[in-house]
Amino acid sequence: MATCDGSEARAALERSVLRRVPPLLTDLYQFTMAYAYWRAGRHNEPAVFELFFRDNPFGGGFSLFAGLSDCLLFLQNFAFSDDDVEYLRSVLPAGTDAAFFSYLKELDCSAVSVSAVPEGSVVFARVPLLEVCGPLAVVQLLETSLLCLVNYASLVCSNAARFRLAAGPRRRLMEMGLRRAQGPDGGLTASRYTYIGGFDLTSNALAGRLFGIPVAGTMAHSYVTSFSSLEEVWPQTLVPCGGGGPIDFICLVKGWLGRVCQLLGSKTSLVREGELAAFLSYAIAYPQNFLPVIDSYSVSCGLLCFCAVALALCELQYQPLGVRLDSGDLCRQSLEVRRVFKECNKQFSVPQFESLIIVGTNSISEQSLAELNKKENEIDVVGVGTHLVTCTRQPSLGCVYKLIEVRGRPRMKMSEDPEKSTLPGRKSVYRLLDTDGRPQMDLICLSEEAAPKAGVSLTCFPLGLTKTLQTVTPAQVTSLRLDVFTCGQITFPLKSASESRERAQISLQTLHPHHKRLQEPHDYTVALSEQLHSLVSDITKGNSKGSNFLLSN
Amino acid sequence: MATCDGSEARAALERSVLRRVPPLLTDLYQFTMAYAYWRAGRHNEPAVFELFFRDNPFGGGFSLFAGLSDCLLFLQNFAFSDDDVEYLRSVLPAGTDAAFFSYLKELDCSAVSVSAVPEGSVVFARVPLLEVCGPLAVVQLLETSLLCLVNYASLVCSNAARFRLAAGPRRRLMEMGLRRAQGPDGGLTASRYTYIGGFDLTSNALAGRLFGIPVAGTMAHSYVTSFSSLEEVWPQTLVPCGGGGPIDFICLVKGWLGRVCQLLGSKTSLVREGELAAFLSYAIAYPQNFLPVIDSYSVSCGLLCFCAVALALCELQYQPLGVRLDSGDLCRQSLEVRRVFKECNKQFSVPQFESLIIVGTNSISEQSLAELNKKENEIDVVGVGTHLVTCTRQPSLGCVYKLIEVRGRPRMKMSEDPEKSTLPGRKSVYRLLDTDGRPQMDLICLSEEAAPKAGVSLTCFPLGLTKTLQTVTPAQVTSLRLDVFTCGQITFPLKSASESRERAQISLQTLHPHHKRLQEPHDYTVALSEQLHSLVSDITKGNSKGSNFLLSN
């Protein structure tokens, strides 16, 4: 396990990976639209999009926002290669004006500005998380890539936060989902954002190297089953931790095995020679890192082997780490394992056995973790793979990127599905805190409105309760978004994974327990200012200048 | 839309992308195990792993195998950089022998060989899809990366095949899930493998460029809502398809709008000026590619605008393409839209309106696609995003990579969960076909056994029915796996996405309908030869030399 957060070298490395997102990784219709704007001479009209999601994921009351660093690096490096443009020439309709391709070759984000919620912040449905301003054709072209970078990052980060809440603060959580993710980059993304969401460790070595996430892991079943005989153990000796001549370790372990079997009323003949050989061999290679998986054949056999080897290590003044359980009833097994550890200490006076850890890994879901928390067990570290990285309960967050203003005029999409409608106009978003410093409401205003003031009452329309005017007096007011990208330059320090992780923890701590509980949370209020509410009403009724009906024929 | 399959340039491009999977993208425990093998002098022992999954996904009767090209390119390029090794030095336990890091720096797959099922083949649970032979430490190190490359590729490919079956052969399917995938690479992987699974198109431009997948797309709602007035339309003229002077296209469309409204009994005052401007502008830019999304405000308004613009295009001898519906009841809307198209043709004699297509995109799932197939509708092309790429119904395939032989001796993992046990020993896998040429059984034999012969009866043990001996006489026998990688070299031509797609279609066609039906399929039989069955029994009983119990002490 190691971490080296904040180093310049790592930051550079991180950038070199993240900037690989090519601008061609987008939907083709972004180009046909950009062309139509360009053809109409509208491509440089100032336009504003905002990015948000419509429902908090996993039936919960909150989400975490993540993916911002990736977005900023993507924007900073946004440029089409000649090959990209040649490809587009080959797939866009035949009539496309050649000058459009020259235009694409010149394109960058030097006229784009972005304000955003900082990465790792607790956020809520319908609140605009990212506001992207710039030339209409350019900000349109950014849509799919930005969504792709925010959607999964925020989803898996929020999922991790829920696992963290389900696990309680004491238990350590390890992400081990690489083999179940959507390919290599999916796995890397999962490791980064589950760490930000509150996991402590990852099994993913590359994620450790790139993002400074502490890595962990010792052995798989294949290691155990690869051994069949004590003859495969080599060297057969181990030098005591404090120094001295090499000790015949096999002999030492065999001695302990006899005593352990006697203590536990087991027969040494039940022990698998291959399993014992595997443990011996690993302990000789890594005497300070001994944490075998003990259920390759059966937990009772594996536990005998573990105790024998661990006791021998203790005799040589090494500190064994613990065991991993990977199948069956983890709670029941962990209790039995702990009982045996205590009995060993009582019988053989090995205080090292008091600090042995038990790792559990067996298709852990949020639900099984919550259940595990309710049942008696002795599991110290939980490893989670599939259910964490694939977000089984809800594998998509559903972020959208909607046009809200063109040439200073508010734009709104209405829809036959009311929830697919959008909120028009440029906005400011404020988080109102109560007297305990806890978030009580997110207020969405039009950007030209004055900011709400602490201690001053205001009226607003909570979303989901149309026409219900509510009065609130915030104890504190904070602005939720910051300017992070201005005219092509990143203007907000890129946060390392561990900095964003810290923000997530603090952000979650201030959230009221009834908003963050996993089942049936209280709804957090997101409200519109009176002015924004009026604008929505006007446009919906078709009265706004911004959405004329065709009156003449 | 364009495709350029099979070109050398594209193949090279594809390789350049896929080979980026770095060997450090693996679980840390692969390195601790490799070290323990190395320390015991076992790292070069010949070992064999196999890769399989335990259950067919989505409650179905089959899966498609995919990800092989990625695996082969990964193997061919497998090498640790100096930076990788330095990172490992910083995270592996302090006692790790420095010579191990020199060993890692030299490592490659020149001693590794792989046999595999060809990409795009129909496969079944428990059948070993990939057999990887080589030095113990090396083949151990490959585990996570190979699983990561096969798991999601096969899952999403199989999901696509189910959507294809649900859609029926006539309807075209378009993948548009980039914004909902697990980050950029997840999206790219999804586009490639859903195409192989039977999709016809993707919205993903980069996937089009890299893999030669036909791309499609025209406009989003934001394009429509970005317009508010006919003054934004420029140029306002269009030259007829056959040539001639520019025609005032706005004027032409306004004329048609009046006639369409009259025909349909609508008022022109219901038409949104912005929506009409958007359609006009797009049609002027792309008169041969006119396929607007028509529900930005309401389908009835959008349809009026579409008909007016499309009729004007027809008058100038252009062929409009059709419309996209993105919300509400797609079936009902498509019927109404088709009715209006027919009425326009009847009234205005525009045969072009007979070939207009209707595209439907609105959170389509396998189930909603199957339901759509049962209801009357006029949808020609279905676009699928979230449910396709995230595999909502089952977001993980659960492939595993298990040790089956070391130094010529079979290895087996037993477990307290019986289904987590493995099949020991090197194997050959045969597909037995019936007299109709349809697969009837996959037979797993030990590799030293003679191949089954067509027309000769054999006895075997179907999996899941232990102790039930079954007799079968195959009409044809094919070997399921081929040698694809031998001593560090790819020995099987890498297939392009479209070649693998063709194989998938053929492979699915030969499968009996009762095995490929989406609900309650018949179980396909996977059986063990008598000899393999005996080996499993022997090892389970603990009688095999390969898994000695500790008899002494």
Side-chain angles (χ1 to χ4, degrees):
Chain A
M1 299 183 195
T3 169
C4 52
D5 279 316
S7 83
E8 271 310 302
R10 226 207 49 256
L13 189 66
E14 193 164 322
R15 282 170 193 240
S16 75
V17 179
L18 296 174
R19 73 167 49 162
R20 288 186 320 189
V21 178
L24 198 60
L25 189 72
T26 188
D27 293 312
L28 186 76
Y29 73 5
Q30 310 294 359
F31 296 101
T32 51
M33 288 190 276
Y35 177 70
Y37 288 137
W38 179 88
R39 183 81 170 84
R42 297 190 61 206
H43 52 294
N44 283 327
E45 284 183 8
V48 188
F49 279 83
E50 65 189 20
L51 187 153
F52 61 95
F53 56 90
R54 295 189 178 108
D55 296 295
N56 294 315
F58 313 116
F62 72 96
S63 181
L64 290 175
F65 173 64
L68 182 60
S69 297
D70 307 64
C71 289
L72 296 177
L73 291 166
F74 165 72
L75 293 172
Q76 197 175 44
N77 294 284
F78 183 88
F80 294 100
S81 71
D82 290 352
D83 284 347
D84 289 342
V85 174
E86 285 318 301
Y87 171 71
L88 289 170
R89 200 192 296 273
S90 75
V91 290
L92 288 176
T96 311
D97 189 326
F100 176 66
F101 299 108
S102 308
Y103 162 75
L104 284 182
K105 283 188 189 180
E106 301 291 304
L107 228 53
D108 60 27
C109 284
S110 57
V112 172
S113 293
V114 177
S115 77
V117 174
E119 185 153 270
S121 304
V122 165
V123 292
F124 303 96
R126 304 286 299 182
V127 173
L129 307 172
L130 215 69
E131 186 193 74
V132 183
C133 312
L136 179 56
V138 179
V139 290
Q140 178 71 66
L141 282 171
L142 302 174
E143 175 179 22
T144 312
S145 315
L146 292 178
L147 285 172
C148 182
L149 291 171
V150 170
N151 249 326
Y152 178 66
S154 296
L155 181 74
V156 79
C157 189
S158 306
N159 201 25
R162 291 177 64 89
F163 274 84
R164 176 79 273 167
L165 290 168
R170 192 186 62 84
R171 231 182 292 273
R172 303 189 81 197
L173 290 176
M174 171 162 162
E175 177 273 319
M176 36 181 262
L178 175 57
R179 64 189 66 187
R180 303 283 182 255
Q182 288 183 7
D185 182 78
L188 207 54
T189 308
S191 300
R192 179 180 170 93
Y193 293 104
T194 54
Y195 180 62
I196 292 176
F199 270 58
D200 304 290
L201 301 159
T202 182
S203 68
N204 182 337
L206 188 62
R209 180 176 155 223
L210 296 178
F211 309 131
I213 306 173
V215 288
T218 55
M219 74 172 72
H221 296 290
S222 57
Y223 181 81
V224 179
T225 56
S226 82
F227 285 82
S228 54
S229 145
L230 290 177
E231 289 164 23
E232 290 159 324
V233 179
W234 194 90
Q236 304 189 334
T237 58
L238 187 60
V239 172
C241 187
I247 307 290
D248 182 335
F249 197 61
I250 297 185
C251 187
L252 195 66
V253 166
K254 281 189 174 175
W256 278 112
L257 186 63
R259 273 164 268 165
V260 168
C261 285
Q262 199 170 23
L263 174 68
L264 302 177
S266 302
K267 292 182 182 153
T268 54
S269 62
L270 284 177
V271 169
R272 297 231 168 214
E273 185 173 338
E275 188 170 37
L276 185 64
F279 289 10
L280 264 164
S281 199
Y282 194 91
I284 290 168
Y286 281 140
Q288 297 285 33
N289 193 42
F290 182 56
L291 194 156
V293 59
I294 62 169
D295 63 335
S296 296
Y297 301 104
S298 82
V299 172
S300 49
C301 296
L303 185 57
L304 287 176
C305 292
F306 171 80
C307 288
V309 175
L311 285 162
L313 285 172
C314 290
E315 188 180 332
L316 303 185
Q317 285 88 53
Y318 290 105
Q319 171 66 60
L321 292 185
V323 297
R324 178 159 76 98
L325 299 166
D326 186 42
S327 58
D329 181 342
L330 300 182
C331 288
R332 183 185 57 71
Q333 291 171 5
S334 72
L335 292 171
E336 172 61 10
V337 167
R338 188 69 74 197
R339 187 189 67 73
V340 168
F341 288 172
K342 286 186 190 298
E343 212 163 321
C344 284
N345 182 24
K346 196 170 153 200
Q347 180 73 17
F348 306 121
S349 301
V350 275
Q352 295 99 317
F353 266 53
E354 290 294 315
S355 49
L356 291 174
I357 62 169
I358 301 173
V359 181
T361 57
N362 182 22
S363 297
I364 303 284
S365 63
E366 180 192 308
Q367 198 188 347
S368 66
L369 196 56
E371 278 165 16
L372 188 142
N373 238 4
K374 286 180 208 147
K375 283 163 72 176
E376 206 189 345
N377 72 79
E378 288 285 341
I379 300 166
D380 303 291
V381 179
V382 177
V384 194
T386 310
H387 294 293
L388 178 65
V389 307
T390 65
C391 302
T392 331
R393 273 188 69 183
Q394 182 187 325
S396 163
L397 180 55
C399 278
V400 292
Y401 180 85
K402 294 295 174 188
L403 181 69
I404 55 165
E405 190 183 281
V406 182
R407 276 188 294 137
R409 294 168 73 181
R411 306 278 76 204
M412 177 174 178
K413 175 186 175 293
M414 277 162 278
S415 170
E416 307 215 334
D417 296 350
E419 66 167 28
K420 280 195 166 186
S421 294
T422 62
L423 296 172
R426 290 193 70 172
K427 306 171 191 85
S428 296
V429 187
Y430 302 99
R431 182 154 291 173
L432 313 186
L433 307 183
D434 64 17
T435 46
D436 297 331
R438 292 193 186 279
Q440 61 175 157
M441 172 189 284
D442 282 6
L443 181 70
I444 312 177
C445 305
L446 288 172
S447 55
E448 63 261 29
E449 294 184 63
K453 286 199 177 68
V456 178
S457 83
L458 60 88
T459 51
C460 58
F461 288 87
L463 280 172
L465 305 166
T466 39
K467 298 179 184 172
T468 308
L469 198 64
Q470 187 176 321
T471 304
V472 63
T473 307
Q476 286 177 64
V477 176
T478 58
S479 181
L480 208 57
R481 289 197 313 235
L482 302 168
D483 292 332
V484 294
F485 190 84
T486 306
C487 299
Q489 294 305 315
I490 297 173
T491 52
F492 185 72
L494 285 180
K495 302 296 182 188
S496 70
S498 94
E499 286 167 326
S500 294
R501 183 175 190 268
E502 208 178 314
R503 169 174 276 273
Q505 295 315 304
I506 293 167
S507 193
L508 276 168
Q509 271 158 26
T510 63
L511 193 62
H512 194 288
H514 64 216
H515 290 131
K516 68 184 163 195
R517 73 178 179 226
L518 302 180
Q519 305 302 326
E520 298 176 10
H522 284 200
D523 282 339
Y524 182 85
T525 304
V526 175
L528 307 187
S529 69
E530 287 189 79
Q531 239 177 290
L532 176 55
H533 187 263
S534 302
L535 178 65
V536 172
S537 304
D538 287 353
I539 296 186
T540 308
K541 288 186 209 126
N543 292 334
S544 161
K545 284 189 299 181
S547 60
N548 282 339
F549 287 93
L550 191 71
L551 300 173
S552 61
N553 184 15
Chain B
M1 299 183 192
T3 168
C4 51
D5 278 315
S7 83
E8 270 310 301
R10 228 211 45 258
L13 188 67
E14 191 165 323
R15 281 169 194 238
S16 75
V17 178
L18 296 174
R19 73 167 51 163
R20 289 187 319 190
V21 178
L24 198 61
L25 189 72
T26 188
D27 294 313
L28 187 75
Y29 73 7
Q30 310 294 0
F31 296 101
T32 52
M33 287 190 276
Y35 177 69
Y37 288 137
W38 178 88
R39 184 81 171 84
R42 297 190 61 206
H43 51 295
N44 282 328
E45 284 183 7
V48 187
F49 280 81
E50 65 188 20
L51 188 152
F52 62 96
F53 57 90
R54 294 189 179 109
D55 296 295
N56 294 315
F58 312 115
F62 72 95
S63 182
L64 289 176
F65 173 64
L68 182 60
S69 297
D70 307 64
C71 289
L72 295 177
L73 290 165
F74 165 73
L75 294 172
Q76 195 176 44
N77 293 283
F78 184 87
F80 294 100
S81 71
D82 290 352
D83 284 347
D84 289 342
V85 174
E86 285 318 301
Y87 171 71
L88 289 170
R89 200 193 296 274
S90 75
V91 291
L92 287 176
T96 311
D97 190 325
F100 176 66
F101 298 108
S102 308
Y103 161 74
L104 284 182
K105 284 186 190 180
E106 303 290 304
L107 226 52
D108 61 28
C109 285
S110 57
V112 172
S113 293
V114 177
S115 76
V117 175
E119 185 152 87
S121 304
V122 165
V123 292
F124 303 96
R126 305 287 298 184
V127 173
L129 307 173
L130 215 68
E131 186 193 74
V132 184
C133 311
L136 179 56
V138 179
V139 289
Q140 179 70 67
L141 282 171
L142 303 175
E143 176 180 22
T144 312
S145 316
L146 292 178
L147 285 173
C148 182
L149 292 171
V150 170
N151 248 325
Y152 177 65
S154 297
L155 181 73
V156 79
C157 190
S158 306
N159 201 25
R162 291 177 63 90
F163 274 84
R164 178 78 273 166
L165 290 169
R170 193 187 60 87
R171 231 182 290 273
R172 301 189 81 197
L173 289 174
M174 170 162 163
E175 178 272 319
M176 36 180 263
L178 175 57
R179 62 190 65 187
R180 303 283 183 254
Q182 287 183 7
D185 182 79
L188 207 53
T189 308
S191 300
R192 179 179 170 92
Y193 292 104
T194 53
Y195 180 63
I196 292 176
F199 271 57
D200 304 290
L201 300 159
T202 182
S203 68
N204 184 337
L206 188 62
R209 180 175 155 223
L210 296 179
F211 309 131
I213 306 173
V215 289
T218 55
M219 73 171 72
H221 296 291
S222 57
Y223 180 82
V224 179
T225 57
S226 82
F227 285 82
S228 55
S229 146
L230 289 177
E231 289 164 24
E232 291 159 325
V233 178
W234 194 90
Q236 303 187 334
T237 58
L238 187 60
V239 171
C241 188
I247 306 291
D248 182 336
F249 197 60
I250 296 185
C251 189
L252 195 66
V253 166
K254 280 187 175 176
W256 278 111
L257 186 63
R259 272 164 270 164
V260 167
C261 285
Q262 200 171 19
L263 174 69
L264 303 177
S266 304
K267 293 181 183 156
T268 54
S269 62
L270 284 177
V271 170
R272 298 231 166 213
E273 185 174 338
E275 188 169 37
L276 185 64
F279 290 9
L280 264 164
S281 200
Y282 193 91
I284 290 168
Y286 281 138
Q288 297 283 32
N289 192 42
F290 183 55
L291 193 156
V293 58
I294 62 168
D295 63 335
S296 295
Y297 301 105
S298 82
V299 173
S300 49
C301 297
L303 184 57
L304 287 177
C305 292
F306 171 80
C307 288
V309 175
L311 286 161
L313 285 171
C314 290
E315 188 179 334
L316 303 185
Q317 284 89 53
Y318 290 105
Q319 171 66 58
L321 292 184
V323 299
R324 178 159 76 97
L325 298 166
D326 187 42
S327 57
D329 181 341
L330 300 182
C331 289
R332 184 185 54 73
Q333 291 171 6
S334 71
L335 292 171
E336 171 61 10
V337 168
R338 188 70 73 198
R339 188 188 65 75
V340 168
F341 288 171
K342 285 184 191 298
E343 213 162 322
C344 285
N345 183 25
K346 198 169 150 198
Q347 180 73 18
F348 306 121
S349 301
V350 274
Q352 295 100 318
F353 266 52
E354 291 294 317
S355 51
L356 291 174
I357 61 169
I358 300 174
V359 181
T361 57
N362 183 22
S363 297
I364 302 285
S365 64
E366 180 192 310
Q367 199 188 345
S368 66
L369 196 55
E371 279 164 15
L372 189 141
N373 239 4
K374 285 180 208 147
K375 284 162 73 175
E376 205 190 345
N377 73 79
E378 288 286 341
I379 300 167
D380 304 291
V381 179
V382 177
V384 194
T386 309
H387 293 294
L388 177 66
V389 306
T390 65
C391 302
T392 330
R393 272 188 70 183
Q394 181 187 324
S396 164
L397 179 56
C399 278
V400 293
Y401 180 84
K402 295 294 174 189
L403 182 69
I404 55 164
E405 189 183 283
V406 183
R407 276 187 294 138
R409 294 167 73 181
R411 307 279 75 205
M412 177 174 177
K413 176 185 173 295
M414 277 162 277
S415 169
E416 307 213 336
D417 297 348
E419 67 168 28
K420 280 196 167 186
S421 294
T422 61
L423 296 173
R426 291 192 70 172
K427 307 171 190 84
S428 297
V429 187
Y430 301 98
R431 182 154 291 173
L432 312 186
L433 308 183
D434 65 15
T435 45
D436 297 331
R438 294 194 184 279
Q440 61 175 156
M441 172 189 284
D442 282 6
L443 180 70
I444 311 176
C445 305
L446 288 171
S447 55
E448 63 260 30
E449 295 183 63
K453 285 199 178 69
V456 178
S457 84
L458 60 89
T459 50
C460 58
F461 287 87
L463 280 171
L465 306 166
T466 38
K467 298 180 184 170
T468 309
L469 197 63
Q470 187 176 320
T471 304
V472 63
T473 306
Q476 286 178 63
V477 176
T478 59
S479 182
L480 209 55
R481 289 196 313 233
L482 302 169
D483 293 331
V484 293
F485 189 85
T486 306
C487 299
Q489 294 305 315
I490 297 173
T491 52
F492 185 72
L494 285 180
K495 300 297 181 188
S496 71
S498 93
E499 286 167 327
S500 294
R501 183 174 189 269
E502 207 179 313
R503 169 174 276 273
Q505 295 315 304
I506 292 168
S507 194
L508 276 167
Q509 271 159 26
T510 62
L511 194 62
H512 195 286
H514 64 215
H515 290 131
K516 67 184 164 193
R517 73 177 178 225
L518 301 179
Q519 306 302 326
E520 300 176 10
H522 284 200
D523 283 338
Y524 182 86
T525 303
V526 175
L528 308 187
S529 69
E530 286 190 78
Q531 238 177 291
L532 175 55
H533 187 263
S534 301
L535 179 65
V536 171
S537 304
D538 287 352
I539 296 185
T540 307
K541 288 186 208 128
N543 292 336
S544 162
K545 282 188 300 180
S547 59
N548 281 340
F549 287 93
L550 193 70
L551 299 172
S552 63
N553 194 22

